Amino acid sequence: MELVKSILILVVGFVLLVKGADFFVDGASAIAKKLHIPSLIIGLTIVAMGTSLPELSVSVTAALANQNSLAISNVIGSNIFNLMVVLGICAVIAPIGVSNIVIKRDYPFSVFCAILMAVLGSFGLTINRIDGIVLLVFFAGYLGVMFYDAKKVRKSAAEMEYEDEIDEATEDTEDIPLWKGILFVVGGAAAVKYGGDFTVDGAVSIATMLGVTETLIGLTIVAMGTSLPELVTSLVAARKKELDMAVGNVVGSNVFNILTILGIGSVITPIAFNMQNFVDICVLAVFSLFVWIFCATRKRIGRFEGAFMLICYAVYLIYICIR
């Protein structure tokens, strides 16, 4: 009976994730169009933060419950899943073009965040409250740069190019009023948040019944479950030809996961580090290098690269299951 209940919760979570992501992308696209903001910036900020709500919820709850190993493994596992699976599947479905600003600024910054996490964790094998404040300050600075870019684009001569790009990407969609776009974003974010919670709760219950350890749950089921919003939202964005939003969602979510989720979690209570965390961060760094090379060489992630990314993640999954 408990297993059936857990499966039902899992299914409800999936439904909320899919529909919430659909509304979220429609609303974010409408806001971008009405305010003449590039879809990339919307993806790096509003969409990224919205789809990272499950990670934030899980990590803060884990910190409050003094289950810090779950918090750190959730962030690392989610970032690897976002990078290799979310982008990998999107690329297999349709090659993803990557803009210069992502290659030269946003993607390197996401790699810097992973290195910063490792450096802070190496001192005393913990991320303490001071470290958490440092992470939050970096995120505030990153947000400031995003909003400055949005303001500059709206006032620059390049504005018309972005408008044309947005219009072309959304010409087949309904002309959604600004107020309705905001409502879609808020409602979609709520559905994504609770959908992620239900999905994780159902998956963890099923895994626990099957005797899977908590550490493995954190790196696999919880990480995948909390990353489902990024996966669904990026797939929906790609289907709606909002490719900048799909890429921006992944990069922005990875930055948000490290700087804000770990920042808030470690301010609540210091987060302990262990050698497995360092190994996983190294794996994240290596995977990031692969994807960066794919993006920089041809300014796109093709189907072959996407398939390679999925294979790499499958190998990593086997490794963490048997170690």
Side-chain angles (χ1 to χ4, degrees), residues 66-124:
N66 204 28
Q67 295 176 314
N68 293 326
S69 60
L70 181 60
I72 185 68
S73 62
N74 177 35
V75 168
I76 298 173
S78 293
N79 279 19
I80 293 175
F81 185 88
N82 289 346
L83 185 66
M84 304 304 286
V85 177
V86 175
L87 280 184
I89 291 178
C90 287
V92 168
I93 293 174
I96 302 174
V98 185
S99 64
N100 280 328
I101 196 168
V102 170
I103 297 172
K104 295 180 179 179
R105 186 194 66 188
D106 299 309
Y107 194 96
F109 184 72
S110 70
V111 176
F112 164 78
C113 291
I115 295 173
L116 179 64
M117 174 173 56
V119 171
L120 293 178
S122 65
F123 292 100

Side-chain angles (χ1 to χ4, degrees), residues 1-11 206 209:
M1 187 64 183
E2 286 296 321
L3 182 61
V4 173
K5 181 181 177 181
S6 297
I7 294 174
L8 181 61
I9 292 174
L10 190 66
V11 172
I206 294 170
M209 292 177 196

Side-chain angles (χ1 to χ4, degrees), residues 150-286:
K151 183 178 179 180
K152 183 172 64 174
V153 165
R154 292 180 65 187
K155 293 182 178 180
S156 70
E159 178 180 344
M160 291 305 299
E161 294 180 12
Y162 280 109
E163 286 185 35
D164 291 341
E165 178 185 331
I166 294 170
D167 289 341
E168 182 181 351
T170 58
E171 60 184 1
D172 295 328
T173 62
E174 179 187 355
D175 187 15
I176 302 174
L178 181 60
W179 67 268
K180 187 180 287 188
I182 295 173
L183 185 63
F184 278 9
V185 167
V186 174
V192 163
K193 190 271 180 190
Y194 288 107
D197 286 348
F198 289 160
T199 301
V200 171
D201 289 343
V204 169
S205 296
I206 294 170
T208 302
M209 292 177 196
L210 298 178
V212 180
T213 65
E214 182 178 313
T215 300
L216 187 59
I217 288 175
L219 278 170
T220 55
I221 296 174
V222 175
M224 292 179 195
T226 55
S227 289
L228 282 175
E230 283 90 344
L231 175 59
V232 176
T233 302
S234 290
L235 288 175
V236 172
R239 178 171 58 84
K240 295 177 182 291
K241 307 302 181 182
E242 294 282 359
L243 297 179
D244 270 350
M245 189 179 293
V247 176
N249 174 36
V250 169
V251 176
S253 292
N254 282 8
V255 170
F256 184 86
N257 287 349
I258 295 174
L259 297 184
T260 304
I261 294 177
L262 278 187
I264 293 175
S266 58
V267 166
I268 294 174
T269 180
I271 298 177
F273 245 57
N274 57 48
M275 285 307 299
Q276 286 187 344
N277 295 143
F278 281 109
V279 171
D280 293 325
I281 292 176
C282 289
V283 171
L284 175 60
V286 172

